Amino acid sequence: MSNTSMNMGRATFYEDRNFQGRSYECSSDCPDMSSYMSRCQSCRVQSGCFMAYERPNYMGNQYFMRRGEYSDYQSMMGMSDGIRSCRMIPMHRGNFRMRIYERENFGGQMHEMMDDCDSIMDRYRMSDCQSCNVMDGHWLMYEQPHYKGRQMYMRPGEHRNLREMQGHNGMKFSSIRRITDSC
């Protein structure tokens, strides 16, 4: 298997619950599914990992999906209208590295992470993380400790104000996990 095919993800999105209705097969980012189907209520992820968003253009609540079947978005994710956009998460092979900051614009305490953290408060004595710099790998940030609650996908790059990103007004982050090849 080539490197390219190893990094490819593939998912099929369905208009109705239980994999019914019109479908759309996706192997890359899709900023607006409305041109392919009127709504999206279920999905099968055949390979790779995806982030699903409840609004177009990668906005609103998001949910991480790995290989598997998702027969009913509303009950599983609490998304009122189902999925409106999705992003394929490229697999990262190598080291993971992220710097988290207590305040926006890289202010306050700073800690460098290379592995998962189930409680930012317990490990670093930080009550919140408001900015970060993802240097290596792809990460998921969670609203609550122990990888629970709302999620946000963090790609490599500088993220100066997490509270204003993608409509997560005021959301605090309490745990962080690497997205590894266990997808």
Side-chain angles (χ1 to χ4, degrees):
M1 189 185 292
S2 72
N3 252 355
T4 304
S5 61
M6 285 173 42
N7 287 329
M8 296 298 293
R10 197 173 92 219
T12 305
F13 296 91
Y14 297 87
E15 275 189 332
D16 298 318
R17 291 177 180 91
N18 299 313
F19 320 110
Q20 301 295 308
R22 287 180 23 196
S23 65
Y24 167 64
E25 189 167 303
C26 183
S27 60
S28 63
D29 295 356
C30 180
D32 189 355
M33 289 188 181
S34 65
S35 57
Y36 304 105
M37 57 182 61
S38 61
R39 65 184 178 274
C40 177
Q41 298 292 320
S42 58
C43 175
R44 282 189 175 110
V45 177
Q46 291 92 347
S47 61
C49 298
F50 288 82
M51 281 310 286
Y53 299 82
E54 72 177 342
R55 295 194 338 239
N57 298 314
Y58 321 112
M59 300 293 284
N61 288 327
Q62 36 188 297
Y63 186 79
F64 177 70
M65 299 185 310
R66 64 184 63 219
R67 187 175 180 195
E69 294 190 344
Y70 302 84
S71 62
D72 181 357
Y73 279 131
Q74 285 182 314
S75 66
M76 291 175 59
M77 301 176 212
M79 291 183 171
S80 56
D81 294 329
I83 291 176
R84 300 287 186 199
S85 57
C86 72
R87 218 184 263 287
M88 189 191 76
I89 301 172
M91 281 296 91
H92 174 77
R93 303 204 193 280
N95 294 328
F96 285 77
R97 198 162 60 113
M98 175 198 296
R99 287 188 182 137
I100 59 171
Y101 298 84
E102 182 179 32
R103 295 194 199 109
E104 61 194 34
N105 293 314
F106 314 118
Q109 289 184 59
M110 183 278 291
H111 297 281
E112 189 165 310
M113 301 177 55
M114 297 179 80
D115 59 358
D116 300 348
C117 175
D118 66 353
S119 175
I120 293 170
M121 178 56 126
D122 290 348
R123 184 183 292 179
Y124 300 119
R125 300 293 178 237
M126 281 175 52
S127 61
D128 196 7
C129 170
Q130 293 184 24
S131 57
C132 69
N133 182 4
V134 178
M135 294 164 290
D136 293 304
H138 298 261
W139 300 73
L140 279 178
M141 298 182 88
Y142 293 83
E143 182 178 34
Q144 299 169 16
H146 308 290
Y147 319 115
K148 298 194 185 318
R150 292 185 295 171
Q151 307 167 353
M152 186 155 64
Y153 168 48
M154 303 306 297
R155 302 189 295 179
E158 292 184 348
H159 306 281
R160 294 184 171 277
N161 192 338
L162 299 179
R163 289 178 183 227
E164 291 181 359
M165 286 181 67
Q166 302 173 339
H168 285 288
N169 300 328
M171 186 167 137
K172 286 178 71 171
F173 296 100
S174 298
S175 55
I176 303 170
R177 177 178 274 169
R178 297 163 298 156
I179 301 175
T180 64
D181 20 86
S182 62
C183 292

